[in-house]
Amino acid sequence: MLKKISVEQLKPGMYVANITSKGISLHEHEREGRIKDQKTITALCKRGVRELYIDTTQGDDSPDAIPLEDSEKQLEAQIKGIVTQQKPKDKHTSFEQEFEKASKMHNEALDMVSHAMEAAKTGNIVDLDNIENMAENFMDSVERNQNALACLSRIRDKDSYLMEHSVNVAVLMSILGKHLQLERTYLHQCVTGALLHDIGKVLIPDTILHKPGKLTEDEFAIMKRHAPYSRKILEKNKGFPQVSINVAGQHHERLDGRGYPDGLKEDEISQEARMASVVDIYDAITADRVYHKGMPPSTALKRMLEWSGPHLDTKYVHAFIKAIGVYPVGSLVELDNGLAGIVVEENPGSIKPIIKVIYNIKKSIYVKVTTLDLSHKNCNERITKSLNPEDFGIKVQDFIL
Ligand SMILES: [Fe+2]
């Protein structure tokens, strides 16, 4: 059985589970295995590890360890508590009205990021004006109705990860910034940086960038260079504000100093980079890649809550959870009656969104589409979990309008 344990409770003879492969990881590049001696535990403490998972079928148990199922429930309760602190807001524009504009904008942004990357690769100038205009368009769309772009960022193509990830990080940054009511010029610089935060990846060899599997330590060392490369590319292109450069150069720094490229700690990491880390990680772990499946949003938020503190800034993780909700628009959820539906509208401050019921999970068949407001007093159904649409061959884009 998998159990969660604090590092102080860890003893030789226990077996640390490689939970990455099970879609759960507290720490990057975590290794599985039996704890042989106290030295290993001391090393884990030094690395800033506070909690980890043990597998009691392969090693000793501890009376203080919490079964995975229980620790997941605790996290879910915490997330629900955070979400329900959110106050309902007025919607200025309907989802349908905004969606068409947002779709066009999203496609243009993909093209624009692709051109910027091509320019960076060939040593040419990146067009700052276009990128800045796009950042502004994103902020305006999110202001009108954030669900349109948020939903588009959930529809993705495994083969265009780099472009889609860049665009999505900018969308999510706009949503987080709106929630935090950031000053417009500052947020604009953050979103501009977000659009190009990974531009340095164009200088990473394709064999590493597109490797279908886990990178070796040497390969990972090369991959890490993308952050300083991103910074240098933006610095070389005159006109990029320092805030945008910080987003690009510091988005892999972690509060405990275990990030890269400079191992910056706490206040040494800019506010914009702390926000960028949160949105970058969320998009990365929810994305389906060629070699692994993305986590459903609700699972991703649980992991991010665990990472907040030593790695991610708790303030921004909480703000992000409030800003996008547990079941974002465009995500697929299972109901307790065995049916599945797509979230089409959030009820802010509630964990009960409006969904379009489309699928019977037990029978593996589509059902007549019906809309259900789970917050309605006469509605008895509740969400049991988030699902990955790909597991059921469901194309979300076919159902959202
Ligand atoms: Fe990155």
Side-chain angles (χ1 to χ4, degrees), residues 261-276:
D262 297 319
L264 300 179
K265 266 188 185 168
E266 306 273 343
D267 291 344
E268 293 168 350
I269 308 170
S270 62
Q271 178 187 226
E272 51 273 18
R274 293 168 189 222
M275 293 189 290

Side-chain angles (χ1 to χ4, degrees), residues 165 197-198 201 226-227 230 248 251-252 260 280:
H165 174 66
H197 77 285
D198 265 347
K201 283 193 177 167
H226 83 271
S230 292
H251 69 275
H252 287 288
Y260 61 87
D280 175 48

